């Protein structure tokens, strides 16, 4: 099946941008095989749509935005003209205009006539806080009208076999590392600082990141791996594992990981955490070889990844889920946990897999008031509620924060982190799951009190569990458990 061709333009209502929009529409129409007469009609329709937005969406003279999306499918050209200006009801507008001439365009103004005569379908769409949109559809002559060849996957030439050195990142390495991240991930990697050489160096300078690179004999930076420190615990998260496509298959990722593990021992860290994507199992395989074990799913945590060279480019987009894994570098201490009885079996299996003793606790109440923090990451469209001191009496406040993050901030998901060492976590977990939160797993040693976190997730976006890929069978077992919890809480989620 030939893929569609798409364009996106964002301009202001300055009339000098109108020719740019018309040129874009004309080029799409030419690619689609439309006649000169049809192309001229579409250019006039574009002008009318632009003027309509300028005059009615921003009537006070505000220099507002105009969003124009074009797409050529197999048999039709689709154009969308959007804005974030004044709301209005297009159904009432057209109803009044058509009352004297149903089933025709006789009652429409000249501008709307031009638009209707230029295309085969016209639709107005109100998108609430995201503004409104005029969608136009023009049928193309024949079928399979797109003449452009399908895009070919980017193939990087293989570098000659050579020796590599693993060493700490130096200032001159920062730019090559940023460029390598683009080659591997596009602009989809979850830590934005890695695309800015100065941001990467700032993390290293502030002691938040331990960064190592693989360097080829000719001086080319071919791989990177780092340990990100946060909080007070003597642990770190292994991040930014990337190998240049030209140098894959040569054990660089394993070599980088081994060097970082030795550095972690030198720093007296007791453990390392990993976040491995679930869109493919390659990175999970390397994590498993290192000896890290699955303990949870970071569900739909960021926008879809764009891995290059893995054959995933044509998959429908889905927010990326990470498999959270952990490896102890020393003998782990016993874990004190307070969870509802129904979760104890999976909790016991997670800790047994980590080879960590477990001390189950009973629910209880505390006399002191609780503490929690609420945050929203606009880039990832993700809400976070972190409970430091669990207090089930604060559930109404936490629920209100959840609703605000979803309905006002527009979060695709909200994560609720609960401290497992505290007895009231069991009670808060019960309340949260009744409101649509899902059990998502354990985050070792990430609670403020030094204990582990119970991660619960409330989704307001859809994810397809069947698309997850896992290297470790126990990871699939966790995913099945979370998927079953999603089915149980479906009614509660819709009622939130």
């Amino acid at each position: 099946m030939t893929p569609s061709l798409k364009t996106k333009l964002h301009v202001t209502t300055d009339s000098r941008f109108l020719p740019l929009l018309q040129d874009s529409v004309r080029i799409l129409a030419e690619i689609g095989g439309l006649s000169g007469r049809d192309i001229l009609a579409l250019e006039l329709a574009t002008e009318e749509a632009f003027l309509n937005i300028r005059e009615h969406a921003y009537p006070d003279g505000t220099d507002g935005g105009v969003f124009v999306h074009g797409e050529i499918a197999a048999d039709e050209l689709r154009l969308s003209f959007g804005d974030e200006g004044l709301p209005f009801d297009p159904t009432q507008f057209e109803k009044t205009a058509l009352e004297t001439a149903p089933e025709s365009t006789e009652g429409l103004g000249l501008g709307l006539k031009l638009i209707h005569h230029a295309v085969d379908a016209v639709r107005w769409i109100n998108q609430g806080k995201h503004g409104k949109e005029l969608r136009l559809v023009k049928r193309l002559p024949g079928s399979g009208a797109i003449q452009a060849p399908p895009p070919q996957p980017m193939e990087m030439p293989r570098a000659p076999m050579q020796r590599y050195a693993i060493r700490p990142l130096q200032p001159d390495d920062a730019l090559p590392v940023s460029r390598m991240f683009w080659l591997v991930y596009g602009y989809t990697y979850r830590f934005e600082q890695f695309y800015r050489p100065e941001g990467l160096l700032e993390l290293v300078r502030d002691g938040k990141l331990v960064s190592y690179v693989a360097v080829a004999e000719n001086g080319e930076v071919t791989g990177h791996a780092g340990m990100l420190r946060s909080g007070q615990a003597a642990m770190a998260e292994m991040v930014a594992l990337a190998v240049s496509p030209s140098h894959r298959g040569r054990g660089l990722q394993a070599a980088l990981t081994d060097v970082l593990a030795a550095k972690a021992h030198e720093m007296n860290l007791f453990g390392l955490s990993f976040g491995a994507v679930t869109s493919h199992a390659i990175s999970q395989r390397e994590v498993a070889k290192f000896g890290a074990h699955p303990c949870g799913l970071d569900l739909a945590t960021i926008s879809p990844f764009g891995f290059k060279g893995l054959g995933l480019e044509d998959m429908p987009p889905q927010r990326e889920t990470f498999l959270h894994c952990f490896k102890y570098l020393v003998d782990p201490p016993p874990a004190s946990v307070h969870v509802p009885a129904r979760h104890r079996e999976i909790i016991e299996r997670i800790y047994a897999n980590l080879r960590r003793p477990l001390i189950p606790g009973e629910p209880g109440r505390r006399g002191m008031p609780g503490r929690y923090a609420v945050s929203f990451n606009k880039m990832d469209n993700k809400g976070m509620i972190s409970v430091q001191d669990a207090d089930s009496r604060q559930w109404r406040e936490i629920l209100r924060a959840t609703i605000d993050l979803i309905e006002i901030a527009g979060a695709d998901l909200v994560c609720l982190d609960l401290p497992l060492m505290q007895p009231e976590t069991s009670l808060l977990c019960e309340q949260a799951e009744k409101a649509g939160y899902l059990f998502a797993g354990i985050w070792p040693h990430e609670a403020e009190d030094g204990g582990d976190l119970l991660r619960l997730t409330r989704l307001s976006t859809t994810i397809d569990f069947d698309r997850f890929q896992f290297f470790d069978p126990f990871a699939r077992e966790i995913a099945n458990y979370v998927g079953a919890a999603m089915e149980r809480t479906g009614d509660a989620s819709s009622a939130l």
Side-chain angles (χ1 to χ4, degrees):
M1 181 179 179
T2 304
S4 62
L5 300 179
K6 298 180 181 181
T7 63
K8 292 183 179 181
L9 284 174
H10 178 197
V11 301
T12 71
T13 49
D14 188 319
S15 60
R16 290 174 291 183
F17 285 113
L18 176 57
L20 177 63
L21 300 185
Q22 291 177 305
D23 285 347
S24 174
V25 170
R26 184 185 71 254
I27 292 170
L28 284 171
E30 290 173 349
I31 294 173
L34 291 174
S35 67
R37 182 175 180 179
D38 286 337
I39 292 173
L40 178 60
L42 284 173
E43 289 184 273
L44 292 173
T46 298
E47 179 178 6
E48 291 302 326
F50 178 83
L51 294 176
N52 181 70
I53 291 174
R54 190 180 70 178
E55 295 171 11
H56 299 293
Y58 308 104
D60 58 354
T62 302
D63 191 16
V66 181
F67 309 88
V68 183
H69 293 184
E71 179 182 4
I72 309 177
D75 56 359
E76 63 186 22
L77 169 61
R78 303 164 187 163
L79 299 171
S80 297
F81 298 85
D83 67 81
E84 295 179 348
L86 281 175
F88 91 116
D89 186 351
T91 59
Q92 294 300 315
F93 178 77
E94 291 205 349
K95 178 182 177 182
T96 301
L98 288 169
E99 277 179 346
T100 58
E103 306 302 326
S104 76
T105 60
E106 194 67 30
L108 297 177
L110 177 60
L112 283 176
K113 280 185 180 180
L114 289 172
I115 292 174
H116 277 265
H117 288 159
V119 297
D120 298 295
V122 177
R123 185 183 178 195
W124 299 86
I125 299 175
N126 266 330
Q127 296 178 324
K129 64 180 181 180
H130 298 296
K132 54 190 179 295
E133 184 179 336
L134 172 64
R135 291 187 184 176
L136 310 180
V137 177
K138 176 69 176 178
R139 287 191 294 271
L140 299 177
S143 60
I146 300 176
Q147 302 301 316
Q152 298 297 315
M154 182 180 66
E155 293 187 5
M156 298 287 292
R158 301 292 293 171
M161 295 299 295
Q162 56 198 292
R163 295 179 180 177
Y164 300 88
I166 309 296
R167 59 165 171 77
L169 178 130
Q170 299 173 1
D172 289 344
D173 300 330
L175 179 57
V177 167
S178 296
R179 290 177 172 175
M180 183 176 60
F181 268 79
W182 181 86
L183 284 174
V184 175
Y185 299 108
Y187 277 122
T188 57
Y189 189 66
R190 56 178 174 151
F191 294 116
E192 182 269 341
Q193 297 97 319
F194 284 91
Y195 294 106
R196 295 185 295 107
E198 67 277 14
L200 177 57
L201 293 175
E202 181 180 354
L203 287 173
V204 175
R205 185 173 58 250
D206 292 346
K208 296 178 180 178
L209 178 72
V210 177
S211 178
Y212 276 76
V213 293
V215 183
E217 290 178 7
N218 63 359
E220 179 186 357
V221 175
T222 60
H224 179 274
M227 293 188 298
L228 192 66
R229 298 290 306 277
S230 62
Q232 301 300 315
M235 58 165 288
E237 180 184 3
M238 192 80 79
V239 297
L241 288 163
V243 174
S244 174
S246 298
H247 297 265
R248 287 177 180 160
R250 300 176 185 181
L252 294 182
Q253 186 167 329
L256 284 161
T257 304
D258 289 343
V259 169
L260 281 176
K263 183 64 176 179
H265 280 289
E266 180 185 321
M267 297 168 61
N268 294 318
L269 301 183
F270 62 76
L272 293 170
S273 67
F274 299 78
V277 296
T278 58
S279 54
H280 66 82
I282 296 174
S283 58
Q284 296 176 36
R285 180 186 61 203
E286 297 303 320
V287 169
K289 287 180 180 178
F290 183 64
H293 301 284
C295 47
L297 287 179
D298 208 355
L299 293 166
T301 189
I302 62 171
S303 300
F305 259 39
F307 290 109
K308 298 183 178 182
L310 294 176
L312 304 174
E313 294 86 349
D314 295 330
M315 293 287 289
Q318 172 170 283
R319 287 183 66 91
E320 184 63 63
T321 292
F322 285 79
L323 176 66
H324 190 74
C325 303
F326 197 88
K327 173 183 172 64
Y328 281 100
L329 304 175
V330 298
D331 291 335
S336 175
V337 300
H338 297 81
V339 294
R342 64 178 170 277
H343 296 315
R344 285 186 180 173
E345 182 178 352
I346 189 67
I347 293 287
E348 288 172 356
R349 288 186 52 74
I350 289 173
Y351 281 106
N353 212 35
L354 290 170
R355 297 176 177 84
R356 186 176 176 193
L358 180 63
I359 304 174
E362 296 298 326
R365 296 188 180 277
R366 56 179 280 134
M368 301 292 291
R371 289 187 303 126
Y372 64 91
V374 180
S375 62
F376 177 67
N377 185 323
K378 186 175 182 181
M379 179 178 292
D380 294 333
N381 220 36
K382 174 181 177 180
M384 288 291 304
I385 303 177
S386 301
V387 175
Q388 291 91 30
D389 296 320
D391 181 356
S392 59
R393 295 169 299 182
Q394 289 183 323
W395 169 245
R396 289 185 180 274
E397 300 172 31
I398 294 172
L399 178 60
R400 181 71 259 169
T402 302
I403 295 171
D404 288 346
L405 285 167
I406 293 172
E407 296 185 356
I408 298 177
D412 286 324
L413 73 157
V414 179
C415 294
L416 175 60
D417 286 344
L418 303 175
L420 273 170
M421 287 200 335
Q422 300 180 24
E424 287 216 34
T425 283
S426 288
L427 304 177
L428 277 174
C429 180
E430 293 277 12
Q431 293 166 315
E433 288 185 292
K434 289 178 182 178
Y437 275 96
L438 308 171
F439 173 95
I442 304 301
W443 266 241
H445 302 285
E446 295 198 22
E448 187 181 90
D449 60 12
D452 301 344
L453 285 176
L454 171 65
R455 168 67 58 87
L456 304 176
T457 303
R458 169 64 171 86
L459 293 170
S460 54
T461 187
T462 58
I463 54 175
D464 183 358
F465 276 61
D466 291 335
R467 287 175 54 180
F468 293 166
Q469 297 184 36
F470 296 108
F471 178 79
D472 188 324
F474 185 60
R476 172 60 67 184
E477 187 174 330
I478 293 175
N480 290 340
Y481 188 88
V482 175
M486 178 180 288
E487 294 181 4
R488 289 195 303 270
T489 59
D491 294 339
S493 298
S494 60
L496 183 64

